[in-house]
């Protein structure tokens, strides 16, 4: 068995492909093998992407949401949460501030809030792009036409996590949407030429190792440019309040295996991971991750974007968030990327063709 696991790791390093069974073997490994897996993922990251860590400034511009995802504190059934919407001017100012701090990408994220219609978002994208920032949108499921308008306005990337690739589990957690709707949205984004980001939650009630393996195979099949993986964190004002938190160790293994499967993808060390333990973000950077998304949302709104409780960095200013992250990256012997951090996929394909 011992030798088998090493064989599976070696195969993944060579071919960047694994079967469902092989992924399950890696996700189950412990001690010595877990260490070998992390070392292999770190080497693959180093070989394909180098030492640079990309920082994306995250602006959480509205916590209104039309959905009722049962794990999320922003779900519309949560009447305890004070809701906010940033004005166009506030969002633009936050982007300006992010640029001044050195960010070259911002992520505009919100609940599914149709107050911001297609034109409002397109307008924002156009103005922010003029600052010299790459723009990632993360506003949930919208129509093909809306995605098209935003892409034409200059949006570079779109983040839409698939959350879980198990359609039955997806249905129990998302009473008002379906996995096929999510998949269709991701396919629309792909067709429109976005750099596509997706990802999943680890430790959801009812989730199995098989379904986690399917999450990785789903991300591989979609050949995503970005993928965020974080632990489930129970929120006290949701139906899942009494379920246990997801395992950070399992998240790290998922990141490492995904790095072997998708050597060129941007993989963030997620805020959810930092929330369950201060050191996990650094650990993720050492087993395949190469992106961090520090928060640049104005302080007065930050704690209201409560997708899960005690979110890391919620009390820090944008300056402090960045400072701490830069220190951590430097201590690891890595450096901060200074470019817009587009997917290296195209460049790489040109180089090998
Ligand atoms: N625990 C962990 N992750 C969560 N998200 C939302 N609620 C939770 C939670 N309770 C994640 C989802 C979503 C992203 C913005 O936050 O993956 O896509």
């Amino acid at each position: 068995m011992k030798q088998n696991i090493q064989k599976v790791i070696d195969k993944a390093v060579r071919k960047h492909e694994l079967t469902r069974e092989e992924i399950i073997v890696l996700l189950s490994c412990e001690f010595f093998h877990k260490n070998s897996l992390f070392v292999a993922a770190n080497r693959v990251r180093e070989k394909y992407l180098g030492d640079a860590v990309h920082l994306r400034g995250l602006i959480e511009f509205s916590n209104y949401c039309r959905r009722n995802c049962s794990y999320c504190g922003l779900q519309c059934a949560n009447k305890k949460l004070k809701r906010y919407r940033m004005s166009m001017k506030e969002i633009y100012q936050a982007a300006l501030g992010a640029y001044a701090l050195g960010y070259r990408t911002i992520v505009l994220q919100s609940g599914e809030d149709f107050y911001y219609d297609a034109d409002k978002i397109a307008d924002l994208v156009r103005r922010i792009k003029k600052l010299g920032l790459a723009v990632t949108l993360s506003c949930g499921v919208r129509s093909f036409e809306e995605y098209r308008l935003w892409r034409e306005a200059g949006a570079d990337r779109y983040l839409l996590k698939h959350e879980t690739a198990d359609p039955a589990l997806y249905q129990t957690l998302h009473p008002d949407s379906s996995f096929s709707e999510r998949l269709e949205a991701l396919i629309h984004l792909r067709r429109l030429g976005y750099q596509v980001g997706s990802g999943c939650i680890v430790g959801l009630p009812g989730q199995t190792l098989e379904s986690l393996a399917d999450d990785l195979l789903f991300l591989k099949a979609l050949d995503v440019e970005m993928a965020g993986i974080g632990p489930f964190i129970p929120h006290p004002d949701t139906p899942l309040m009494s379920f246990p938190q997801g395992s950070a160790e399992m998240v790290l293994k998922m990141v490492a295996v995904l790095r072997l499967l998708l050597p060129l993808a941007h993989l963030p060390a997620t805020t959810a991971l930092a929330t369950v333990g201060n050191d996990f973000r650094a650990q993720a950077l050492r087993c395949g991750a190469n992106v961090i998304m520090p928060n640049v949302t104005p302080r007065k709104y930050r704690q209201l974007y409560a997708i899960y409780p005690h979110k890391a960095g919620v009390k820090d200013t944008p300056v402090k968030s960045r400072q701490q992250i830069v220190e951590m990256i430097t201590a690891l012997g890595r450096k901060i990327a200074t470019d817009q951090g587009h997917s290296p996929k195209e460049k790489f394909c040109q180089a090998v063709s």
Side-chain angles (χ1 to χ4, degrees), residues 184-254:
E184 185 182 41
L186 285 163
I187 291 168
H188 285 166
L189 293 164
R190 178 52 91 225
R191 275 180 51 204
L192 287 164
Y194 282 93
Q195 292 168 50
V196 175
S198 199
C200 59
I201 305 178
V202 172
L204 289 163
Q207 201 174 34
T208 58
L209 271 184
E210 284 75 13
S211 101
L212 288 174
D214 289 342
D215 284 323
L216 298 181
L217 289 170
F218 177 84
L219 294 166
K220 170 80 178 165
L222 209 60
D223 194 19
V224 290
E225 280 78 32
M226 305 168 280
I229 301 176
F232 163 65
I233 303 172
H235 188 297
D237 303 319
T238 64
L240 302 188
M241 59 193 261
S242 322
F243 286 91
Q245 182 173 288
S247 147
E249 282 299 303
M250 186 55 81
V251 173
L252 293 172
K253 286 193 236 176
M254 290 278 287

Side-chain angles (χ1 to χ4, degrees), residues 236-278:
D237 303 319
T238 64
L240 302 188
M241 59 193 261
S242 322
F243 286 91
Q245 182 173 288
S247 147
E249 282 299 303
M250 186 55 81
V251 173
L252 293 172
K253 286 193 236 176
M254 290 278 287
V255 170
V257 177
L258 190 58
R259 170 56 68 214
L260 300 180
L261 292 173
L262 289 175
L264 293 171
H266 284 309
L267 304 183
T270 54
T271 306
L273 197 48
T275 299
V276 301
N278 213 3

Side-chain angles (χ1 to χ4, degrees), residues 17-184:
E17 267 175 18
L18 290 169
T19 64
R20 190 181 196 226
E21 290 65 37
E22 288 167 336
I23 293 176
I24 292 170
V25 165
L26 293 187
L27 295 181
S28 316
C29 74
E30 288 187 74
F31 313 115
F32 171 77
H33 289 112
K34 190 186 77 178
N35 196 40
S36 305
L37 169 66
F38 288 0
V39 167
N42 197 40
R43 284 210 188 110
V44 168
R45 185 270 310 154
E46 201 175 8
K47 174 174 167 196
Y48 286 85
L49 302 166
D51 275 341
V53 177
H54 297 277
L55 301 185
R56 325 286 204 197
L58 176 65
I59 304 174
E60 299 155 334
F61 64 91
S62 163
N63 69 354
Y64 280 83
C65 191
R66 68 178 173 133
R67 300 283 195 189
N68 262 315
C69 308
S70 53
Y71 45 81
C72 182
L74 304 193
Q75 60 177 265
C76 67
N78 180 9
K79 302 296 177 211
K80 286 195 189 161
L81 181 67
K82 190 175 154 215
R83 304 283 168 166
Y84 73 91
R85 285 187 176 114
M86 285 171 66
S87 68
M88 295 295 134
K89 193 170 164 199
E90 285 176 309
I91 302 172
Y92 184 73
Q93 291 291 338
L96 257 182
Y99 187 86
L101 283 175
Y103 292 102
R104 291 298 172 264
T105 288
I106 52 138
V107 182
L108 294 177
Q109 190 177 82
S110 66
E112 287 197 10
D113 183 1
F114 283 63
Y115 164 84
Y116 300 88
D117 60 22
D119 289 333
K120 278 200 179 91
I121 302 275
D123 218 50
L124 256 179
V125 170
R126 247 176 251 119
R127 291 178 60 208
I128 293 173
K129 283 289 289 184
K130 284 197 188 124
L131 296 173
L133 283 161
V135 174
T136 303
L137 294 174
S138 180
C139 315
V141 173
R142 302 284 283 247
S143 70
F144 181 82
E145 278 311 308
E146 286 171 301
Y147 287 155
R148 190 168 63 85
L149 197 71
W150 301 341
R151 179 80 185 116
E152 283 168 5
D156 303 278
R157 317 184 184 122
Y158 204 100
L159 285 183
L160 185 70
K161 293 197 182 175
H162 69 278
E163 315 294 4
T164 171
D166 176 339
L169 180 59
Y170 192 98
Q171 206 57 67
T172 63
L173 300 169
H174 305 93
D176 43 20
S177 64
S178 65
F179 185 69
S180 55
E181 176 202 59
R182 204 77 169 174
L183 180 58
E184 185 182 41

